[in-house]
Amino acid sequence: MRRIRKAVFPAAGLGTRFLPATKAQPKEMLPLVDKPIIQYVIEEAVASGLTNIIIVTGRGKNAIEDHFDVSYELEQLLQERGKTDLLEQVRAISNMINVSYVRQGETLGLGHAVLMAKDLVGDEPFAVMLGDDIIDSAVPCMKQMTEVFERHGGPVIAVQRVPRQEISAYGVIDGIPEDAGDRVFRIRDMVEKPKADEAPSDLAIIGRYILTPDIFEALERTPRDAGGEIQLTNGLRALKERRALYGYRFEGRRHDAGNKLGFLKATVEFALQREDLGAPFRDYLRGLKL
Ligand code: G1P
């Protein structure tokens, strides 16, 4: 079993749900408290032992590349002013990862974005991590998943139970429990964004995947959906005919930073957890007449 080293971050989306904030700024760079959302997810990758980062970008996404690059001017300024704490933080960002970028010229769906990383991934298992899903957990979600991958030896897809009325916003799996802990499921089928009454279960796909390189061939043969997009879920559906796929109900709290309410909730919760802000922010919130 090969160790997972590479993580693909699709980041070419237009971020229309956050307009006008995302008119001239990538949505991945919106901060939760003081850290861009993409950095939370990249830190999860690094904490899970994945330091080879592949970001799939598009037009207007230069700020992401700059963020993970060395900033000489800023480092020099912080050094001159003796701001060593900040200097360390800024350096840590560029030292954290070995990053490569590939462009997705047209935004033709998540499956298409993953396909763009084919040459950079090569012939080894890899992770896909979506920046909209921020997962707060004692053991990083991706670390939990690498352990499941090592135990079961097949692709692993993160899932979470969601209420029926929300299910049609997700890919949904039909799985049978593989272990007594009710965490690992052998996937029988999966469907992208079904109608609530047609969903095969309440187990929704969350944006963390461990995939094997045969997904690329499956995606190349996956037809576009009604909206003209190549869905990763549909590529995986084809792959399941050829090998065992697993759903993994991770331990942790997931925030949907891809919509405004989820983004606000995550902001509040992360601020409350901060050593420097938690106490005064809690006092402030208590004082609000809600
Ligand atoms: C994507 C996937 C979907 C998954 C979701 C998780 O959808 O296509 O299967 O449930 O991410 O966040 P998106 O939210 O990008 O439309």
Side-chain angles (χ1 to χ4, degrees), residues 110 130 133 169-171 192-193 205-207 209 231 233 254:
L110 180 57
L130 306 188
D133 292 317
Y170 298 91
E192 179 69 5
K193 304 198 172 87
I205 298 174
I206 302 302
Y209 308 77
Q231 296 300 342
T233 304
R254 171 249 183 182

Side-chain angles (χ1 to χ4, degrees), residues 106-109 112 116 218-232 234-235:
E106 292 174 285
T107 47
L108 295 177
H112 181 255
M116 296 296 103
L219 284 170
E220 276 160 355
R221 288 201 260 122
T222 299
R224 294 188 186 194
D225 67 3
E229 297 194 335
I230 298 173
Q231 296 300 342
L232 181 55
N234 293 339

Side-chain angles (χ1 to χ4, degrees), residues 205-261:
I205 298 174
I206 302 302
R208 300 288 184 276
Y209 308 77
I210 292 180
L211 303 177
T212 43
D214 46 3
I215 187 63
F216 294 119
E217 202 206 328
L219 284 170
E220 276 160 355
R221 288 201 260 122
T222 299
R224 294 188 186 194
D225 67 3
E229 297 194 335
I230 298 173
Q231 296 300 342
L232 181 55
T233 304
N234 293 339
L236 285 164
R237 191 161 195 249
L239 193 61
K240 84 171 191 326
E241 303 303 327
R242 280 183 280 146
R243 60 149 70 232
L245 306 183
Y246 300 92
Y248 173 63
R249 207 166 56 75
F250 58 92
E251 291 180 55
R253 186 161 165 68
R254 171 249 183 182
H255 296 282
D256 181 2
N259 77 61
K260 286 176 207 174
L261 187 59

Side-chain angles (χ1 to χ4, degrees), residues 60-263:
K61 300 283 184 169
N62 295 348
I64 299 177
E65 296 185 34
D66 289 343
H67 184 73
F68 293 106
D69 198 359
V70 178
S71 173
Y72 290 107
E73 302 85 344
L74 183 60
E75 288 188 16
Q76 204 174 351
L77 190 88
L78 293 171
Q79 189 134 40
E80 278 165 18
R81 297 198 178 159
K83 307 231 181 231
T84 42
D85 277 11
L86 283 177
L87 180 63
E88 265 170 40
Q89 278 187 41
V90 164
R91 280 206 178 127
I93 300 168
S94 45
N95 289 338
M96 195 156 58
I97 49 170
N98 166 355
V99 58
S100 358
Y101 297 91
V102 59
R103 302 276 285 208
Q104 182 186 14
E106 292 174 285
T107 47
L108 295 177
L110 180 57
H112 181 255
V114 171
L115 212 37
M116 296 296 103
K118 181 181 175 188
D119 288 345
L120 288 171
V121 167
D123 190 27
E124 58 183 284
F126 64 104
V128 172
M129 303 177 73
L130 306 188
D132 284 351
D133 292 317
I134 311 281
I135 298 167
D136 197 6
S137 55
V139 177
C141 178
M142 186 46 71
K143 177 114 204 306
Q144 299 174 38
M145 292 175 70
T146 58
E147 283 158 16
V148 176
F149 178 74
E150 277 158 22
R151 254 200 331 272
H152 293 273
V156 184
I157 301 163
V159 295
Q160 183 184 47
R161 294 195 190 281
V162 308
R164 279 277 163 175
Q165 66 271 24
E166 292 167 26
I167 201 82
S168 51
Y170 298 91
V172 183
I173 68 158
D174 172 13
I176 28 176
E178 179 81 9
D179 65 358
D182 193 32
R183 293 230 167 250
V184 181
F185 298 83
R186 174 84 179 252
I187 295 179
R188 275 196 298 214
D189 202 0
M190 55 207 302
V191 50
E192 179 69 5
K193 304 198 172 87
K195 291 190 184 124
D197 55 358
E198 287 168 12
S201 76
D202 63 349
L203 288 168
I205 298 174
I206 302 302
R208 300 288 184 276
Y209 308 77
I210 292 180
L211 303 177
T212 43
D214 46 3
I215 187 63
F216 294 119
E217 202 206 328
L219 284 170
E220 276 160 355
R221 288 201 260 122
T222 299
R224 294 188 186 194
D225 67 3
E229 297 194 335
I230 298 173
Q231 296 300 342
L232 181 55
T233 304
N234 293 339
L236 285 164
R237 191 161 195 249
L239 193 61
K240 84 171 191 326
E241 303 303 327
R242 280 183 280 146
R243 60 149 70 232
L245 306 183
Y246 300 92
Y248 173 63
R249 207 166 56 75
F250 58 92
E251 291 180 55
R253 186 161 165 68
R254 171 249 183 182
H255 296 282
D256 181 2
N259 77 61
K260 286 176 207 174
L261 187 59
F263 185 87

